[in-house]
Amino acid sequence: MLRMLGILGRIWLGLILFFLYAPIVVMAVMSFNASPYYQLPFEFSTRWYQEMAANDQIITAAIRSVLIACATTVIATALGTAASVALFRYDFRAKRVLQALLFPPIAIPWLISGTAMLIFFFSIGIGRGTPAVIIGHVALALPYVIVTVSARMSSFDITLEEAARSLGASQWTVLRRVTLPWITPGIIAGALFAFAVSFDQFVVSYFLSEPGDTTLPVLIYTAIRKGFTPEINAISTIIIVVSMALVLFATRNSKFGGES
Amino acid sequence: MADNLTPDDHKRLFTLLSPAYLWLTVAIFLPLSAMLFFSFVSDMPGGDTAWHLTLENYREFVSNPTYFTLLRKSLLLATTVTLICLLIGFPCALVLAKSIKGRSREALFLLVILPFWSNSLVRIFSWAIVLRGNGVLELGLNAVLPFDVRLNLMFTTTAIIIGLVHSYLPYVILTSYLALQAISDDVIDAARTMGASPFTILRRLLIPLSATGLIAGATLVFVPIVGSFMEPRILGGRVGTYYGTVIEDQFVAVYNWPLGAALSFLLLGVVLLILGLASPALKRGAV
């Protein structure tokens, strides 16, 4: 069985990896091609990156995306870490229900969450715009933070807290000097995931951002629908590189999916 | 962990938990309730026109066969993509979990799930570059093959399926991998020493024992695709009209929000039904 899986399996895995990365690589390569029509022969040029850098709309949207992602990261990490600590430390009746409530933001299609938020925010007067986008992004990022921090927390030895307390440390000191340092890698990972979720989020931003005042993915969607422009290649390549780098850092800080 | 919480503990518990759950209430649960309410009104309250409660939006769905046809089309698309993802993702997870060991497994696993964390819109866009007529795929194939091929897959259902498989395949690999990893190698070895063929091992052992992971993966693929609109729009062009794109139109083009709310709510019903059917497996899998 295992031997048979050997060669064929490795070929299969190779094909899958090729399938997953080929279009991204093609896009990255084409972003350095001088021709605007993705034509060959390939002629190296940084023309599209220069045009992108000179495009005010793209730069403004990029800055807005980063600011929204930063705000989302700070809020989601703070709220998520607090909730993880509580969910881990205490046993109470509603715990399973509360944990189950983390499921809907991930499981419900973003189209539904996005349109529901739009309707609700309009009816209570928040309307569209950056605050609405941040509220939505935090909700989508929270479950990821809680899951990541909780995963790190599960390796925490609760007797350490008891030991600290028996030595006279207050609850708050225990949290600050014992528990938080231990789960810091989980918090960092959760924060990076939150940033990645927000930075990559398209659907909810699409329904909640004001026309002409959008995030990068929304701007890209509009541009694609109007017709391909090679600048979009350049900015898309940057987005892919940034989000993959973020997640690589996050996985190094958590045990997400790894062995041992 | 103490079961008996002191009043102090209760206070601390409340302080730590309430911000996160208050946020989820405002951003997820209240909006969903509001959507249910607004799916029963004739016009958005607060506008210039008067509004009243009505069943008209749901009657529209029932009386206009287009919506039902599109919902069926979306369900069919989701089924197709899910099956393809399972068929190509499960073997991949099997190789990762059972055939590759040590650090290279960790690295390969990370490589497989990494794209899932990067912008799906951008990845769909990258397929548009590859698939378009006279695009990279066509040029590449023509360079290798002796005869001329005209693919022009862009703006076809095939293109939509390729893009969606690319977006959601990592989910299936992730969940199958976690389930397969939990199966002890000893069990497989035991079956083999008893003379079971690889196919029997797969059919009687590996697939049943990893069923929870497969179902979890299938659900994670199926549910979002039923509501997809961006992928069909970009890769499907004119053929890319689905249930999700109709909902998008109600909100951004037609501005018939009550109808959009009703259509969204019917979609939510379908999604909840599917999640309900899969939930025993999801609970046991608990990925």
Side-chain angles (χ1 to χ4, degrees):
Chain A
M1 181 81 203
L2 299 182
R3 215 177 316 124
M4 189 206 72
L5 272 171
I7 307 288
L8 276 178
R10 279 171 172 72
I11 294 174
W12 188 251
L13 187 61
L15 286 174
I16 298 271
L17 284 174
F18 178 76
F19 170 69
L20 287 177
Y21 285 91
I24 300 172
V25 171
V26 165
M27 183 180 70
V29 170
M30 282 302 165
S31 70
F32 288 106
N33 190 2
S35 157
Y37 305 108
Y38 312 114
Q39 271 165 348
L40 301 175
F42 181 82
E43 193 189 323
F44 182 84
S45 151
T46 53
R47 176 183 162 193
W48 305 119
Y49 285 86
Q50 288 162 10
E51 290 202 10
M52 178 205 81
N55 185 328
D56 282 347
Q57 257 191 316
I58 292 182
I59 300 302
T60 318
I63 292 171
R64 185 171 299 109
S65 279
V66 170
L67 289 179
I68 289 174
C70 287
T72 302
T73 305
V74 172
I75 302 170
T77 309
L79 301 189
T81 304
S84 311
V85 170
L87 288 173
F88 174 75
R89 175 93 56 77
Y90 303 105
D91 240 348
F92 51 99
R93 238 173 293 141
K95 188 160 149 179
R96 312 209 88 201
V97 179
L98 288 182
Q99 280 169 327
L101 284 179
L102 295 174
F103 200 53
I106 306 179
I108 293 175
W110 290 330
L111 172 66
I112 299 177
S113 322
T115 52
M117 286 178 200
L118 174 60
I119 288 183
F120 180 65
F121 292 166
F122 243 94
S123 57
I124 62 168
I126 299 178
R128 279 186 174 139
T130 304
V133 175
I134 293 175
I135 295 175
H137 282 197
V138 170
L140 298 185
L142 258 179
Y144 289 102
V145 175
I146 295 180
V147 166
T148 316
V149 177
S150 299
R152 172 73 191 181
M153 204 137 199
S154 63
S155 67
F156 177 70
D157 188 355
I158 194 87
T159 52
L160 285 178
E161 282 195 358
E162 283 154 21
R165 217 165 304 147
S166 69
L167 290 170
S170 71
Q171 281 268 14
W172 179 238
T173 315
V174 171
L175 184 67
R176 199 165 46 86
R177 303 283 299 269
V178 180
T179 319
L180 280 182
W182 177 265
I183 57 173
T184 299
I187 297 176
I188 295 172
L192 290 166
F193 278 126
F195 192 94
V197 165
S198 170
F199 190 64
D200 279 344
Q201 175 47 240
F202 157 67
V203 178
V204 166
S205 318
Y206 175 58
F207 287 108
L208 295 182
S209 60
E210 235 154 356
D213 202 24
T214 55
T215 64
L216 211 42
V218 180
L219 184 83
I220 293 175
Y221 182 65
T222 326
I224 296 172
R225 292 192 65 181
K226 272 194 236 149
F228 301 160
T229 61
E231 294 160 274
I232 300 302
N233 263 339
I235 190 69
S236 299
T237 306
I238 294 176
I239 292 187
I240 286 272
V241 171
V242 169
S243 34
M244 284 195 174
L246 276 175
V247 172
L248 269 180
F249 276 120
T251 36
R252 295 212 130 202
N253 276 296
S254 69
K255 290 258 183 269
F256 185 77
E259 302 215 342
S260 74
Chain B
M1 284 202 223
D3 271 307
N4 311 327
L5 299 181
T6 63
D8 256 9
D9 284 340
H10 272 292
K11 213 162 51 187
R12 227 169 270 129
L13 194 60
F14 183 79
T15 328
L16 288 171
L17 280 175
S18 56
Y21 282 91
L22 202 64
W23 201 288
L24 287 178
T25 308
V26 170
I28 302 281
F29 303 114
L30 285 178
L32 287 176
S33 326
M35 192 164 75
L36 180 62
F37 173 71
F38 287 121
S39 69
F40 288 106
V41 301
S42 58
D43 237 300
M44 276 303 281
D48 299 330
T49 30
W51 62 277
H52 55 92
L53 290 173
T54 174
L55 283 172
E56 198 45 53
N57 301 312
Y58 289 95
R59 209 173 289 136
E60 172 77 15
F61 177 85
V62 179
S63 61
N64 189 339
T66 318
Y67 298 117
F68 191 74
T69 312
L70 287 176
L71 183 58
R72 213 175 44 199
K73 194 179 161 194
S74 288
L75 289 169
L76 183 67
L77 178 74
T79 312
T80 315
V81 174
T82 306
L83 286 178
I84 296 175
C85 284
L86 288 175
L87 280 175
I88 66 179
F90 183 76
C92 181
L94 189 58
V95 174
L96 273 175
K98 292 294 168 216
S99 167
I100 293 169
K101 296 267 173 273
R103 287 194 65 82
S104 60
R105 178 206 290 201
E106 238 174 280
L108 285 169
F109 179 73
L110 193 58
L111 265 182
V112 166
I113 59 160
L114 194 54
F116 147 77
W117 279 104
S118 61
N119 198 297
S120 57
L121 172 82
V122 168
R123 286 190 287 140
I124 291 294
F125 173 57
S126 72
W127 275 107
I129 300 170
V130 173
L131 295 176
R132 61 206 293 278
N134 214 6
V136 176
L137 185 64
E138 222 171 78
L139 290 171
L141 282 176
N142 281 330
V144 180
L145 300 172
F147 48 88
D148 220 29
V149 277
R150 284 261 148 263
L151 278 173
N152 207 0
L153 284 172
M154 197 55 187
F155 305 130
T156 62
T157 311
T158 315
I160 302 173
I161 292 174
I162 292 175
L164 286 170
V165 169
H166 188 247
S167 287
Y168 291 96
L169 182 61
Y171 281 108
V172 171
I173 299 181
L174 173 67
T175 57
S176 311
Y177 171 81
L178 293 175
L180 284 166
Q181 219 192 11
I183 303 173
S184 158
D185 285 346
D186 296 343
V187 180
I188 302 168
D189 285 336
R192 198 176 29 212
T193 33
M194 311 276 270
S197 70
F199 182 70
T200 313
I201 293 178
L202 183 68
R203 194 171 52 91
R204 303 278 302 269
L205 211 66
L206 292 175
I207 293 181
L209 285 176
S210 61
T212 50
L214 284 171
I215 294 173
T219 316
L220 286 175
V221 177
F222 193 93
V223 165
I225 294 182
V226 182
S228 64
F229 66 92
M230 171 268 283
E231 298 88 344
R233 279 256 201 260
I234 296 177
L235 294 174
R238 213 170 297 159
V239 301
T241 307
Y242 284 88
Y243 194 74
T245 59
V246 169
I247 294 180
E248 181 204 359
D249 278 340
Q250 298 307 321
F251 281 96
V252 301
V254 188
Y255 295 108
N256 189 347
W257 288 9
L259 178 60
L263 294 177
S264 288
F265 222 80
L266 289 166
L267 177 63
L268 182 62
V270 173
V271 165
L272 290 178
L273 187 72
I274 293 160
L275 288 176
L277 290 175
S279 76
L282 290 178
K283 234 173 259 161
R284 260 180 295 138
V287 202

